[in-house]
Amino acid sequence: MSKGLKIMLFWSLGFPVIITFLRIITDYFLGRDIELLSYSAVFLGIVAAGLIFAGPLNYFIPKSQEN
């Protein structure tokens, strides 16, 4: 698997999953209600941000420094 694909997969799947689990754990310990619908909206928003901003930026910045 190429380096670019690994970076894009992390920022579009790995990072949103980590953030969503951290939010669920935080809400559990704070005693708040856990509603999966609200977490799915956050997850999809972070996925979109990872595909549009974070993935390409984290791929092109180190690549531009190599040149």
Side-chain angles (χ1 to χ4, degrees):
M1 194 179 322
S2 71
K3 182 180 178 182
L5 184 59
K6 287 180 186 178
I7 292 172
M8 290 299 290
L9 280 175
F10 173 75
W11 285 105
S12 62
L13 293 176
F15 186 70
V17 167
I18 293 168
I19 295 298
T20 304
F21 280 139
L22 288 175
R23 287 196 51 169
I24 290 171
I25 291 169
T26 303
D27 286 347
Y28 176 76
F29 284 121
L30 293 176
R32 297 180 185 159
D33 292 334
I34 297 175
E35 298 177 14
L36 294 179
L37 189 60
S38 66
Y39 296 113
S40 65
V42 171
F43 176 78
L44 292 174
I46 298 172
V47 166
L51 282 172
I52 296 170
F53 297 112
L57 281 176
N58 284 308
Y59 175 71
F60 287 121
I61 289 173
K63 192 170 181 138
S64 68
Q65 290 175 352
E66 290 175 3
N67 295 335

